[in-house]
């Protein structure tokens, strides 16, 4: 794992967008797995702009949504579906067959998980995975205590996730379970970027990078990924001990 520190959210986002662009340019049929949330907003916007401006050949690329709130419908603006379609899938004008997201309204959520695992396998695995980090160290909805060898699964959400998750919704929303790509998929992915910005992430970023690997802080699994990169801005890096500082 490498850690890269950028001056601010804008330079961090431009670097993430460039990696997305390069990955698809080098491998047009790449499989890209994306988180939603506040952190990936600007990286996705910059990527869309660059891909459209430079006519990136994107019709063979497969996009996978990392996770979804169970029982939150896709038209709800706090859903992961809403974010991904509005920020990236619709502006890129992708074909439906290129997009795979969990249907968290489905009656059989285990079948949703099996379908997602089969899609990933059928397409030869994930080439690039871009994830955020929760205030409790979750990745996707891999909450504290999760098994590191899980594939896609349904999980009870942690109290912190339920509280912090309200920020995405216009009105108070009942959140209880999530459906998510598992950490075994993250370990199998050819490249993983964990991105974070802002001072509010500084404490969990310090734990993620400096503490022992433990499922109590799921993001510590990044330490064991041979092609994993933690990309953060200076504010999110502000609590790191000197030994862990790598400026770019
Ligand atoms: C969302 C997701 C979550 C977020 C994390 C950080 O799809 O997978 O794990 O990445 O909670 O969210 P933000 O970026 O809003 O701080």
């Amino acid at each position: 794992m490498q850690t890269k520190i950028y001056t601010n959210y804008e330079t961090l986002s431009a670097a993430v967008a460039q990696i997305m662009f390069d990955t698809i340019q080098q491998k047009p049929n790449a499989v890209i797995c994306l988180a939603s949330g506040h952190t990936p907003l600007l990286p996705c916007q910059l990527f869309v702009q660059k891909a459209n401006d430079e006519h990136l050949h994107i019709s063979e690329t497969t996009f996978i949504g990392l996770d979804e709130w169970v029982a939150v419908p896709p038209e709800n603006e706090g859903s992961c579906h809403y974010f991904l379609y509005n920020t990236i899938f619709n502006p890129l004008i992708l074909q439906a067959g290129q997009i795979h997201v969990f249907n968290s309204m489905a009656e059989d959520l285990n079948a949703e998980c099996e379908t997602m695992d089969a899609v990933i396998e059928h397409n030869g695995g994930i080439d690039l995975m871009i994830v955020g980090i929760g205030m409790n160290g979750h990745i996707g909805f891999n909450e504290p205590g999760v098994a590191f060898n899980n594939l896609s699964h349904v999980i009870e959400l942690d109290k912190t996730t339920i509280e912090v998750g309200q920020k995405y919704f216009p009105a108070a929303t009942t959140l209880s379970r999530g459906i998510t790509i598992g950490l075994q998929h993250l370990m199998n992915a050819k490249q993983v970027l964990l991105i974070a910005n802002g001072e509010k992430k500084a404490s969990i970023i310090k734990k993620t990078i400096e503490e022992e690997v433990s499922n109590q802080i799921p993001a510590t699994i990044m330490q064991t990924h041979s092609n994993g990169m933690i990309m953060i801005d200076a504010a999110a890096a502000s609590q790191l001990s000197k030994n862990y500082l790598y400026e770019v």
Side-chain angles (χ1 to χ4, degrees), residues 35-40 66-67 80 132-134 138-140 167-168 201:
S36 51
H38 291 163
T39 320
L66 178 63
D67 52 6
C80 300
I133 180 169
H138 75 192
I139 288 182
K167 70 181 180 175
Y168 305 116
K201 294 280 172 76

Side-chain angles (χ1 to χ4, degrees), residues 36-38 66-70 72 78 80 132-146 155-169 172-180 201 204 215-219:
S36 51
H38 291 163
L66 178 63
D67 52 6
E68 187 57 280
W69 310 100
V70 168
V72 170
C80 300
I133 180 169
M135 300 299 286
N136 57 2
H138 75 192
I139 288 182
F141 287 138
N142 291 277
E143 301 286 25
V146 72
I155 191 166
E156 294 293 325
L157 295 173
D158 189 61
K159 194 168 158 273
T160 306
T161 301
I162 293 172
E163 280 167 18
V164 176
Q166 297 300 324
K167 70 181 180 175
Y168 305 116
F169 296 90
T173 303
T174 305
L175 303 170
S176 59
R177 290 187 301 158
I179 182 167
T180 186
K201 294 280 172 76
I204 193 63
N215 67 352
Q216 293 310 309
I217 302 176

Side-chain angles (χ1 to χ4, degrees), residues 9-247:
Y9 180 51
E10 285 67 30
T11 51
L12 162 66
S13 299
V16 175
Q18 185 68 50
I19 293 173
M20 292 171 77
F21 188 92
D22 292 345
T23 300
I24 296 171
Q25 196 170 48
Q26 281 156 24
K27 185 179 178 190
N29 66 346
V31 177
I32 314 279
C33 177
L34 293 174
S36 51
H38 291 163
T39 320
L41 179 63
L42 187 57
C44 286
Q45 288 171 335
L46 293 176
F47 170 72
V48 166
Q49 200 178 342
K50 192 171 165 60
N52 286 341
D53 287 353
E54 297 183 34
H55 306 290
L56 182 65
H57 178 73
I58 205 155
S59 57
E60 292 173 52
T61 310
T62 298
F63 287 87
I64 289 176
L66 178 63
D67 52 6
E68 187 57 280
W69 310 100
V70 168
V72 170
E75 60 276 10
N76 185 317
E77 64 187 74
S79 69
C80 300
H81 186 113
Y82 189 96
F83 171 90
L84 289 172
Y85 274 80
N86 282 283
T87 313
I88 186 156
F89 298 160
N90 290 340
L92 286 174
I93 322 181
L94 301 177
Q95 301 298 310
Q98 293 179 260
I99 302 170
H100 300 277
V101 293
F102 291 112
N103 172 10
S104 73
M105 304 298 287
E107 250 175 54
D108 189 347
L109 292 173
N110 288 331
E112 281 295 304
C113 293
E114 282 167 21
T115 302
M116 187 60 91
D117 293 343
V119 163
I120 292 171
E121 199 180 327
H122 175 77
N123 286 285
I126 297 171
D127 291 288
L128 175 64
M129 192 158 168
I130 300 179
V131 301
I133 180 169
M135 300 299 286
N136 57 2
H138 75 192
I139 288 182
F141 287 138
N142 291 277
E143 301 286 25
V146 72
F148 278 175
N149 62 355
N150 271 350
L151 294 175
S152 301
H153 60 282
V154 176
I155 191 166
E156 294 293 325
L157 295 173
D158 189 61
K159 194 168 158 273
T160 306
T161 301
I162 293 172
E163 280 167 18
V164 176
Q166 297 300 324
K167 70 181 180 175
Y168 305 116
F169 296 90
T173 303
T174 305
L175 303 170
S176 59
R177 290 187 301 158
I179 182 167
T180 186
I181 298 282
L183 293 176
Q184 184 66 57
H185 285 304
L186 179 138
M187 286 309 292
N188 295 345
K190 294 174 192 93
Q191 184 174 17
V192 183
L193 313 181
L194 184 151
I195 59 176
N197 69 297
E199 214 176 325
K200 63 182 183 304
K201 294 280 172 76
S203 163
I204 193 63
I205 282 294
K206 180 181 173 65
K207 289 179 187 162
T208 297
I209 294 174
E210 300 185 10
E211 288 194 4
E212 264 178 37
V213 177
S214 152
N215 67 352
Q216 293 310 309
I217 302 176
T220 54
I221 198 173
M222 284 294 292
Q223 293 178 28
T224 69
H225 197 292
S226 56
N227 197 16
M229 192 145 68
I230 297 199
M231 300 172 74
I232 50 183
D233 70 354
S238 58
Q239 289 185 24
L240 289 182
S241 316
K242 242 187 165 171
N243 293 349
Y244 295 91
L245 286 175
Y246 306 93
E247 305 282 348

